[in-house]
Amino acid sequence: MKKILHLSFFILFAAAYSQNISNYEYVSIAAKTGKFESAKYGLSGILSSKLKAGKYEVVSESNDSWPEAAKNNPCGVLKAEIEDTSTFLKNKIQVNFKDCSGKTVASFEGKSNIKEYEPGFKDALNVALRNLPASNPEKLAVITETPKQPVAIATEPVKSTSNQTPNSGAKTENKAETFSNGTLNLNRIFISDSQFILASPNNSTPYAIFKATTKKEVYRVQLQDGSQTLGYIEHGNIVIELPNADGSYRKEIFEETVIMAY
């Protein structure tokens, strides 16, 4: 039985970014996959050229230089990883395209009969990318920084100085931590020093994106339906303020949890 696709996607995605990389416009190329460096033998350059020929915009791994639309919608950026899958007899290259939650959207593998490494890897990569579809995305909507009226947050004030960097202690490694509100189990995935997402480990639909404010551990939050609110870290928990019908706000608290595997 086919699974029903969710139509309400994160951050005003006008179309479902499902299993088709042509729905994406932006791609970053990983510098290394495991121990294999993508620049080796000029492979990352070949991949970049092929992507650009397919009307994709290649962006750096660091989001500092990303276009505004990509910065505001990090889950509209695919990550391409070049992997050496060679056997004893053949040079093989696999290119995996992953979304912001680490889920593989598409994989392309090519093999070559050329035994020498450099020409063999290049040939295998070109074979792998023969069926790379052209980009034909729904344009990402740029979200302006116009959050709702400020909401009072019941947290202890944090002293800061003009030289303090917001959330400077945030983790930047691609390490998933699991948080639960009792119903949902979501992974926290850091996009950058000042940005992380909560996403379901079972699909590529992010639940919320958190962008740092000038106050430590307080974030502007973009919810799955496109609405904006505030969130913060309290006693190690992730708290999101959700509006009630009467205009007041309630807390949705996600506590860090350990999922036991049997």
Side-chain angles (χ1 to χ4, degrees), residues 12-173:
L12 303 179
F13 279 10
Y17 286 116
S18 54
Q19 300 301 313
N20 192 343
I21 66 171
S22 64
N23 287 334
Y24 292 80
E25 181 178 5
Y26 301 100
V27 181
S28 68
I29 299 175
K32 182 182 291 187
T33 302
K35 295 182 179 180
F36 189 75
E37 297 181 2
S38 62
K40 196 172 186 179
Y41 308 124
L43 299 183
S44 59
I46 294 174
L47 177 55
S48 179
S49 296
K50 294 288 186 180
L51 288 168
K52 290 176 181 178
K55 306 303 181 183
Y56 295 92
E57 183 168 347
V58 178
V59 297
S60 65
E61 279 195 273
S62 171
N63 66 0
D64 293 340
S65 60
W66 284 4
E68 198 65 24
K71 282 184 178 180
N72 289 323
N73 298 273
C75 287
V77 180
L78 281 177
K79 185 174 185 179
E81 297 180 345
I82 301 175
E83 184 178 358
D84 176 10
T85 56
S86 299
T87 62
F88 178 72
L89 297 176
K90 287 186 181 294
N91 286 316
K92 289 184 179 181
I93 288 292
Q94 181 168 305
V95 182
N96 299 312
F97 291 90
K98 296 183 178 181
D99 63 19
C100 61
S101 65
K103 181 178 178 181
T104 300
V105 174
S107 293
F108 300 89
E109 187 177 64
K111 56 187 177 181
S112 175
N113 291 322
I114 302 174
K115 298 185 182 299
E116 291 80 9
Y117 284 128
E118 182 169 353
F121 279 135
K122 287 181 177 179
D123 183 47
L125 180 58
N126 281 312
V127 171
L129 299 175
R130 282 178 182 173
N131 296 320
L132 180 71
S135 174
N136 185 27
E138 295 283 348
K139 289 293 183 179
L140 299 179
V142 177
I143 300 170
T144 57
E145 296 293 336
T146 54
K148 297 180 180 180
Q149 287 297 110
V151 180
I153 301 174
T155 57
E156 291 295 323
V158 179
K159 294 181 179 180
S160 62
T161 67
S162 58
N163 294 323
Q164 183 177 4
T165 302
N167 299 283
S168 57
K171 302 177 182 178
T172 57
E173 64 269 19

Side-chain angles (χ1 to χ4, degrees), residues 213-233:
T213 65
T214 55
K215 186 173 182 179
K216 185 178 180 181
E217 297 190 334
V218 178
Y219 300 84
R220 292 188 178 91
V221 180
Q222 178 92 32
L223 299 176
Q224 197 172 16
D225 62 2
S227 62
Q228 296 188 22
T229 184
L230 292 178
Y232 49 93
I233 307 300

Side-chain angles (χ1 to χ4, degrees), residues 24 38 86 122 128 141 150 182-183 188 192 202 223 226 244-245 259:
Y24 292 80
S38 62
S86 299
K122 287 181 177 179
T183 302
R188 176 165 68 171
S192 68
N202 299 320
L223 299 176
N244 296 315
I259 304 298

